[in-house]
Amino acid sequence: AANMLFAFDSAELTDDAKAVIDERINRFKGQAKLTAIMEVDGYTCSMGPEAYNQKLSERRAQAVANYIAANAVNIKASDIKVVGMGEADPVASNDTKEGREKNRRVEIIAEGEIIK
């Protein structure tokens, strides 16, 4: 899993987020293949209306999925399931700025095998 941080009210990948995805792509390039559909789950902090945050979490997950499909060898958009989780499952308290920043994330779940 990799966590991606987003700016407040944004679904745009930061340069740091792209660097993390690129590192994962390059680490397994040509050495692994998916054995199941990759899942990309988007999350938000609890600021703002719940319905808005649900849509924002979906846009965040889609942004990551689009980046992976465009930059990873042998992973197509049809290999990725995009899920918006909204405010569910915070990893930190939404009572602090630092906690809210950690909750603005995307988690990538990928199962695969090493190619020999």
Side-chain angles (χ1 to χ4, degrees):
N3 293 328
M4 306 302 144
L5 302 181
F6 291 86
F8 178 72
D9 196 26
S10 174
E12 184 175 333
L13 286 170
T14 64
D15 289 340
D16 288 343
K18 290 176 185 177
V20 170
I21 296 170
D22 290 341
E23 186 275 326
R24 299 301 194 282
I25 289 170
N26 290 328
R27 182 188 308 169
F28 297 106
K29 188 175 185 178
Q31 299 176 19
K33 69 174 183 173
L34 291 175
T35 58
I37 296 292
M38 178 184 290
E39 186 169 319
V40 179
D41 298 337
Y43 295 86
T44 67
C45 65
S46 62
M47 303 273 301
E50 189 174 338
Y52 179 83
N53 286 338
Q54 177 61 38
K55 293 291 186 190
L56 178 58
S57 71
E58 293 167 9
R59 291 195 318 269
R60 287 178 174 165
Q62 190 64 60
V64 171
N66 290 347
Y67 188 85
I68 292 170
N71 292 283
V73 176
N74 297 329
I75 299 178
K76 305 178 298 283
S78 60
D79 296 327
I80 305 171
K81 176 182 176 184
V82 174
V83 180
M85 301 296 288
E87 303 170 10
D89 301 321
V91 294
S93 172
N94 279 302
D95 294 333
T96 67
K97 178 183 176 191
E98 294 79 16
R100 289 188 297 272
E101 287 173 353
K102 290 179 182 177
N103 290 328
R104 295 192 293 263
R105 70 192 193 282
V106 165
E107 295 179 357
I108 302 167
I109 301 99
E111 295 179 28
E113 61 185 31
I114 300 298
I115 301 169
K116 295 184 179 192

